[in-house]
């Protein structure tokens, strides 16, 4: 099996869990990316700074990792721009329909023992498996 990286995956998962926990403990907010981004449109007074800091930390964290290890991670996208845009719009619609994104439901909702999040995550996983089966 190629790409099996248990240590980096464990560290990444621990960092995601720590970030989500700190945001909840220090700010009382759920670390769902769609909710954080959606809260910027329109921006509410006093909400913009922490939301932007969290969102900017996502790519900046990857950049810091790249600089630390001396290599740049370049994602390979093997589909057309049109399919990528349509896929992004469908994800956005699904996020709105499902009341949150995979990070919100999967990391934060399950940790809070939310039944709604459990159903959402099971739906995400089933849809992902069916999609891969159909496309591949």
């Amino acid at each position: 099996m190629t790409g099996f990286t248990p240590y980096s995956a464990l560290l990444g998962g621990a960092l995601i869990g720590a970030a989500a926990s700190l945001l909840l403990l220090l700010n009382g907010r759920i670390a769902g990316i769609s909710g954080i981004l959606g809260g910027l449109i329109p921006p509410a007074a006093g909400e913009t700074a922490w939301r932007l800091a969290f969102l900017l930390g996502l790519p900046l964290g990857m950049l810091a990792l790249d600089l630390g290890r001396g290599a740049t991670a370049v994602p390979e996208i093997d589909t057309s721009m049109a399919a990528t845009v349509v896929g992004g719009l469908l994800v956005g619609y699904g996020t709105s329909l499902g009341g949150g994104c995979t990070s919100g439901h999967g990391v934060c909702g399950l940790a809070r023992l939310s039944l709604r999040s459990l159903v959402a995550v099971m739906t995400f996983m089933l849809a992902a498996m069916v999609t891969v089966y159909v496309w591949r």
Side-chain angles (χ1 to χ4, degrees):
M1 180 188 319
T2 62
F4 181 65
T5 57
Y7 299 117
S8 62
L10 182 62
L11 177 61
L15 288 171
I16 290 169
S21 297
L22 285 172
L23 186 63
L24 184 60
L25 289 171
L26 300 176
N27 204 7
R29 305 293 185 178
I30 302 296
I33 307 305
S34 63
I36 293 172
L37 178 62
L40 289 172
I41 308 166
E47 294 281 308
T48 304
W50 76 265
R51 290 175 189 274
L52 285 175
F54 191 94
L55 293 171
L56 287 173
L58 298 172
L60 291 178
M62 187 64 206
L63 179 62
L65 178 64
D66 284 349
L67 292 173
R69 66 180 180 185
T72 302
V74 179
E76 292 183 32
I77 301 173
D78 63 345
T79 188
S80 70
M81 180 60 78
T84 302
V85 169
V86 169
L89 291 172
L90 288 172
V91 167
Y93 176 70
T95 296
S96 174
L97 191 64
C101 58
T102 54
S103 62
H105 284 297
V107 174
C108 301
L110 291 180
R112 294 182 301 118
L113 303 177
S114 166
L115 179 59
R116 185 178 85 144
S117 290
L118 178 61
V119 171
V121 169
M122 290 173 22
T123 303
F124 298 153
M125 295 302 292
L126 179 62
M129 288 185 271
V130 169
T131 301
V132 169
Y133 179 78
V134 168
W135 282 91
R136 305 258 170 158

